């Protein structure tokens, strides 16, 4: 937001975007497996693995199609691009879930396509940023409403463990990654601090977990939101 330049900023920004792609993909796989494990009647057979493959690779394919449509929209009707983005955002919830796809992965791949395979990446970012405030207000208010204090009393140790382990592994992984990449000592020493703040994507994960894993989802959602709140306050 402050337009800084330098090796630290370049590393943190690039890694943040790359890790979101990896995390969303891994989350899709983990959630599909967890759904099968939580359901006593489900079995890990070839059909289950086929469904898992469809959820990951099908989401990639649909995301590329959505990205192409967004690029086409930006080319033909640039002034109406925000409307298209909001429409796709709303459809990315119920429709992919109905067809066993990951809405998060679909949207992320779509944005990746527009940025890297069209000339409208900057236009898409401007459209999102210009109209995102009201969506953030609704999203974070809904996420906060999901923080059940009674449930938090039972899960605060889990939330604290999540925060602690995340800090430890973020520092260790960042230091090792920077060392392996031959980055300057300053990056190895301080880059991990840029990853402590946590918000949007993880809150989306929490909502999906609560919906897809009804047996334990509410407890996990409360613990995750509590951990995000701590990371978002103390991370910066």
């Amino acid at each position: 937001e402050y337009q800084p330049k330098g090796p630290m900023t370049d590393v943190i920004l690039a890694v943040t975007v790359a890790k979101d792609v990896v995390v969303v993909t891994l989350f899709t796989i983990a959630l599909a497996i967890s759904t099968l494990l939580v359901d006593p009647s489900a079995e890990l057979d070839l059909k289950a693995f086929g469904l898992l493959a469809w959820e990951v690779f099908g989401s990639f394919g649909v995301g590329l199609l959505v990205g192409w449509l967004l690029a086409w929209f930006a080319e033909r009707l640039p002034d109406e691009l925000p409307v298209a983005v909001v429409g796709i955002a709303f459809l990315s919830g119920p429709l992919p879930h109905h067809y066993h796809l990951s809405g998060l992965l679909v949207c992320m791949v779509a944005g990746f396509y527009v940025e890297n395979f069209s000339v409208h990446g900057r236009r898409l970012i401007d459209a999102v940023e210009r109209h995102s405030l009201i969506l953030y207000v609704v999203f974070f208010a809904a996420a906060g409403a999901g923080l059940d204090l009674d449930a938090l009393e039972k899960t605060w140790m889990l939330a604290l463990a999540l925060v602690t382990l995340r800090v430890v592994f973020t520092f260790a992984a960042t230091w090792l990654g920077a060392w392996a990449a031959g980055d300057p000592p300053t990056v190895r020493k301080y880059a991990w601090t840029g990853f402590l703040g946590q918000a949007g994507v993880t809150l989306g994960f929490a909502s999906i977990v609560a919906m897809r894993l009804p047996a334990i989802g509410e407890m996990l959602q409360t613990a995750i939101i509590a951990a995000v709140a701590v990371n978002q306050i103390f991370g910066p």
Side-chain angles (χ1 to χ4, degrees), residues 13-213:
L13 187 59
V15 171
T16 297
V17 176
K19 75 180 178 64
D20 277 352
V21 176
V22 174
V23 167
V24 169
T25 305
L26 292 178
F27 174 79
T28 301
I29 296 171
L31 184 64
I33 295 174
S34 299
T35 304
L36 293 171
L37 294 177
V38 170
D39 184 359
S41 62
E43 295 181 1
L44 280 172
D45 53 15
L46 289 178
K47 182 180 179 181
F49 284 108
L51 188 62
L52 173 60
W54 162 249
E55 188 159 354
V56 175
F57 296 108
S59 297
F60 268 93
V62 173
L64 291 174
L65 176 61
V66 171
W68 180 85
L69 288 173
L70 278 174
W72 180 89
F73 215 94
E75 181 73 31
R76 304 299 193 284
L77 300 166
D79 293 336
E80 305 300 328
L81 184 58
V83 178
V85 172
V86 171
I88 288 173
F90 277 105
L91 290 176
S92 68
L95 283 183
H97 179 65
H98 180 73
Y99 292 104
H100 299 286
L101 297 170
S102 168
L104 287 173
L105 198 53
V106 167
C107 290
M108 186 162 284
V109 172
F112 174 81
Y113 177 91
V114 175
E115 173 64 31
N116 293 280
F117 296 98
S118 79
V119 295
H120 303 294
R122 184 70 253 173
R123 185 174 290 172
L124 176 62
I125 292 173
D126 290 341
V128 171
E129 290 181 345
R130 195 163 63 245
H131 300 275
S132 61
L133 180 59
I134 184 62
L135 297 178
Y136 281 138
V137 170
V138 173
F139 177 74
F140 282 100
L147 186 58
D148 185 345
L149 291 180
D150 292 332
L152 181 59
E153 186 179 356
K154 302 175 184 177
T155 61
W156 69 269
M157 290 188 67
L158 174 59
L160 189 60
L162 284 174
V163 171
T164 304
L165 289 172
R166 183 173 180 271
V167 171
V168 170
F169 283 116
T170 297
F171 170 79
T174 304
W175 194 95
L176 286 172
W179 172 78
D183 285 323
T186 306
V187 174
R188 293 202 296 271
K189 189 174 181 180
Y190 296 112
W192 66 280
T193 60
F195 306 127
L196 291 185
Q198 186 182 28
V201 173
T202 308
L203 290 174
F205 289 165
S207 300
I208 294 172
V209 165
M211 180 174 58
R212 292 279 294 271
L213 304 174

Side-chain angles (χ1 to χ4, degrees), residues 217-230:
E218 184 177 344
M219 180 190 72
L220 289 175
Q221 181 184 31
T222 300
I224 292 169
I225 292 175
V228 168
V230 173

